[in-house]
Amino acid sequence: MSHIPPKDESGDNSASNNVDVKEEPMDGFDFDAEFAAHRLAVSQGNTDKAIQSFILLQSNSGDREAFIDYLLELASHIDPGVETDMSRFFQALPALIQSTIIDTVAAKLERTDLLQAYKVLYAYIQAYPRHAYKYLIRAMKLLILGARGDDKDKCISILVTNLLPRLGKQRLQLTFSGTPPSIRSSDGKHYIIIPCNLFEEFLRLGQRYYLDHRQWDDLVKFTCAMLDCCGYDGLARLDFLSHTNRFQYLKEQRVNLSIVDAEASSSSNASSSTLETANDTGSSASGVPRITKPIVSATSVLVGSTDKRAATTLVAFMCEFIAVSSQFTQFAFEYYRAICAVSADPTKIDEKACLIPICTITTPQQKLVPGTHGNNASNATDDAPPPPSAADDGTTRPSKKIKLASHDENLLHAPCLAGVDQTLQVLSKAADCMRHLVDLWDWATQTAPEVDWAAIFGDWEEEFKRVIESYQLPFDMYNAVLLARSDLALSTPSVSGNLPKALKLSQSICDRIETQRRQGKDVSHLVEYNIPFMFAFRVLYTIGVIYLLVGSLQQSTLEIAIILSVFPIPQDLDDKDFIADQLDCHTAATVFRDHEFGLMHVTQKGLMVRCIKHLIVSLDSEIRQRGGMASIDAAMRWDEKAGNMIVLMQYGWPYWNTRTDFWDKIIRQMKERRAFKNRHILEYIFVPDMLKTLLELHESKQVTMDLIAPEYLLKSGHRRELTSSTASPSSSPRLAPMPDHPQEHPLRPSSFKPPPPPPPIYEPPAMPNTVMPSVTTMSPSWYAASTQNTSQANWMSPSFYYSRPATSVVLPTKKPAIIDELDQDQRDAHSLFITFELVSKCIQQRYQRYYHSPLPPHRVRLLIQRFLKYMVIKANEDS
């Protein structure tokens, strides 16, 4: 039988014109005889006879169970590609009768099997796309309802990849929220009338699907197609353009959007299908939206009494905000992978590296002196373009693309800048998205001032967070959004409010990673939970930089110490790595000398070196800033900080002695003070040169060395050489009695106590917020303390949480049994003296031991990390 096109409502087909579909029931109608005649006509291919008998059956016995069962059977032969008698018959039916069959079958199945009802509608939409507009919304509703079962992923996939693209090809008209979807015909054209909140849900649902699957090109195409059909005409053909061109097109076309009244959209063909997106909203007498409860949708305030102009503005705001937010998410994820040095090639093993931030705060008083580096911070000139930032409100715009300042191509290809330029360009793209959102907010609030935007949405950033939350992003992608927002804020640290925002976002990443780790679920098979090796450490490092920028050296030191206390320290770290870092810092300072923000590529070794230098420079600054305090407490603080520096400087030795003056400064100040008391560091010193210098100072009596805790001597077998407090003291004038409460051994978990909770707000340090002096070899010139007023620093809360992401360091609360036997010795240690000769002997023994047998690298790593754990706990206790 030849192909017979389907008949439509216009009645152009002759068979449709010769049949009266509203024939009255006939008296004495024989259903069985007519039904048998119909089945015979269908099997013989007698289309006209089959259609006439079918109409008789439908008119006289349309509600009969046998006829309904026949319609169900007929609905399984909708596809014309299946060559059967019934498929050919269905294809020959007029479109109006086809629709009657589909409506009857769908209504029957909706009461028993939602997915089966959807399959009937979907089959008709596929086979007869010309009439798809009638059933698209209804099919979507059934599929979403059916997705609550076991086939959720499959249902959502079909909805997004098949039905929503078909909806994007239809003629859509938006109406007020809460209005049931319907069909309207005008001048031979059919329009789907859809409420704004339902359109928003469809748009967000599709974007969420493509975000989950990381299908970025499909995400852009889908978004453009959906916005094209609702008023941004032609956008679907521009999905290949850059994001800035598309944003500009959105801006130009937003004035063409319109909303139709619910009454005008009503028609006899109106569909009753609707998707429940109820929100409690109200409206004032003036027609301005009024919120009675917190809303979850940008369009849920669009009720029928809303002013047309205000409603159109809200729709444009919704469409563009969602479109740009999804684009930001893509750029944020690309930025996250670039920061973590994750390769796009899945077959390539990713290196253990990351890009760390370099920042400085620029003030009008700070001027760049060309060609100078060293103790002065390298700052941006007044006419340099600022890097991108996301401000708290619309008053400060994220700036345009960051460009490298250096004209030396050799510098741009340095290893420390590997991938930096491309990564900054991605961050600049994310800043473009933020800029468009700010401009959109300004336009909307000015265009519809009668809408209380602040009451409805808060501000543009609150709305942005709501949209991001609605995507329910995968774990790693949400972290990426937080990272990009944090670095955008950090990119202009001199802008008020950006540093607290950057800190809060970075700490949110830490909390998320720690919460996920504590859940204890095996999610290693899920891609989204495969956190890059360096990511958590990079976030902690960023927090340390932020504290440094506001002049809070103690908190900055603590954050960096946390990293080092758990960081997998490379065993082959030596002075060559510190020299290489010195060159890298000089390169970075040169390239980014005209910017407040930049990035620097570091490997696992490089981050270790950078953190050690950061710690030593910070400790040195604390010493100098407290140097004017003439008190016993200040002297003890100097001994503690200097001791920490001595232990840390063992890494990279002799770099600290030959290329810096830190070691010489400590020795010089020891001689000036003529005493050095730190009873916790000797057992951590293993460099022969250091031990020899300390021994010479002690034996020449230039410095009184009080380096040994009595309990350490008891443990080390020097019990007989200790002198009781009741005995005659040695003739040496350099004997010091132990205090009433001796300090416990740093390696004994029995003495550890959990750190107290952090205070509710940060108390600004007593030291002045002056620019932190630095040496280019130690710390790039972009390290500078804040020039903001200390009153603006009350947003900070010290990061005293020792169990941090990717560290899992839990403070012991119970002493091991292995040290129980030393408890009595420790309690008795306060009554003992340490003689001058005994100090010399202990230092001499350690010197001879490590001079002939240097400490192996793996022991060095364990020793330093145990010291850093002690350092972190001590900082918590002091706070």
Side-chain angles (χ1 to χ4, degrees), residues 196-407:
C196 295
N197 59 330
L198 182 57
F199 178 81
E200 180 185 358
E201 292 298 325
F202 286 154
L203 178 58
R204 182 167 43 241
L205 181 64
Q207 288 181 333
R208 178 182 169 188
Y209 174 84
Y210 290 117
L211 287 170
D212 286 344
H213 291 78
R214 296 163 168 78
Q215 298 175 0
W216 310 118
D217 292 340
D218 292 335
L219 171 66
V220 173
K221 292 179 181 178
F222 169 80
T223 303
C224 290
M226 290 293 286
L227 266 59
D228 185 309
C229 69
C230 75
Y232 291 91
D233 298 334
L235 184 61
R237 300 189 298 271
L238 306 179
D239 54 23
F240 65 93
L241 295 179
S242 67
H243 66 285
T244 53
N245 290 335
R246 284 185 274 113
F247 291 172
Q248 180 62 30
Y249 190 81
L250 290 175
K251 187 175 182 179
E252 295 171 355
Q253 295 294 317
R254 64 175 60 141
V255 296
N256 296 330
L257 267 66
S258 62
I259 287 186
V260 297
D261 293 327
E263 294 79 6
S265 66
S266 301
S267 70
S268 58
N269 295 332
S271 170
S272 61
S273 60
T274 181
L275 208 58
E276 296 181 2
T277 53
N279 294 287
D280 293 327
T281 62
S283 59
S284 64
S286 61
V288 179
R290 174 174 55 85
I291 301 303
T292 58
K293 295 182 67 175
I295 64 173
V296 296
S297 170
T299 54
S300 56
V301 295
L302 290 175
V303 293
S305 58
T306 306
D307 177 74
K308 269 291 190 63
R309 182 169 57 86
T312 304
T313 303
L314 282 165
V315 170
F317 179 80
M318 174 271 294
C319 291
E320 293 187 38
F321 212 103
I322 295 180
V324 176
S325 297
S326 65
Q327 184 68 78
F328 177 89
T329 305
Q330 174 187 346
F331 292 145
F333 191 69
E334 292 176 2
Y335 181 73
Y336 161 81
R337 291 175 62 86
I339 285 293
C340 300
V342 177
S343 173
D345 185 1
T347 62
K348 182 180 179 181
I349 300 177
D350 297 323
E351 64 171 334
K352 294 179 179 180
C354 67
L355 304 182
I356 59 175
I358 55 178
C359 310
T360 186
I361 293 182
T362 304
T363 62
Q365 292 78 19
Q366 295 176 323
K367 300 294 182 180
L368 174 67
V369 180
T372 60
H373 302 282
N375 291 339
N376 294 326
S378 176
N379 302 294
T381 56
D382 292 338
D383 58 348
S389 168
D392 284 327
D393 51 39
T395 59
T396 302
R397 301 289 198 274
S399 69
K400 296 184 179 180
K401 188 177 297 184
I402 300 176
K403 297 182 180 179
L404 299 182
S406 176
H407 298 288

Side-chain angles (χ1 to χ4, degrees), residues 677-684 705-719 722 736 738-739 742-748 825-826 829-830 832-834 838-839 842 870:
K677 181 178 180 180
N678 191 321
R679 295 183 172 180
H680 298 285
I681 69 166
L682 183 59
E683 59 188 298
Y684 295 107
M705 295 290 178
D706 189 356
L707 304 177
I708 307 170
E711 58 267 28
Y712 166 73
L713 293 174
L714 295 175
K715 182 182 67 175
S716 304
H718 293 277
R719 181 187 303 269
L722 293 172
M738 289 292 293
Q743 291 179 299
E744 296 178 348
H745 192 273
L747 299 183
R748 290 187 175 181
D825 294 333
Q826 187 175 8
H830 72 279
L832 301 177
F833 287 95
I834 301 175
L838 186 55
V839 173
C842 289
Y870 160 76

Side-chain angles (χ1 to χ4, degrees), residues 673-731:
R673 295 169 179 270
R674 300 189 60 80
F676 181 65
K677 181 178 180 180
N678 191 321
R679 295 183 172 180
H680 298 285
I681 69 166
L682 183 59
E683 59 188 298
Y684 295 107
I685 301 177
F686 52 84
V687 173
D689 291 346
M690 288 186 172
L691 291 167
K692 183 179 180 180
T693 301
L694 296 177
L695 181 62
E696 291 174 351
L697 290 174
H698 180 69
E699 292 188 339
S700 65
K701 299 184 180 181
Q702 298 180 69
V703 182
T704 301
M705 295 290 178
D706 189 356
L707 304 177
I708 307 170
E711 58 267 28
Y712 166 73
L713 293 174
L714 295 175
K715 182 182 67 175
S716 304
H718 293 277
R719 181 187 303 269
R720 296 181 180 179
E721 302 176 58
L722 293 172
T723 305
S724 173
S725 61
T726 59
S728 300
S730 170
S731 58

Side-chain angles (χ1 to χ4, degrees), residues 492-512:
T492 50
S494 57
V495 175
S496 177
N498 275 5
L499 286 178
K501 183 195 301 184
L503 178 67
K504 182 179 180 180
L505 292 169
S506 295
Q507 289 179 332
S508 296
I509 299 175
C510 293
D511 295 340
R512 283 173 51 80

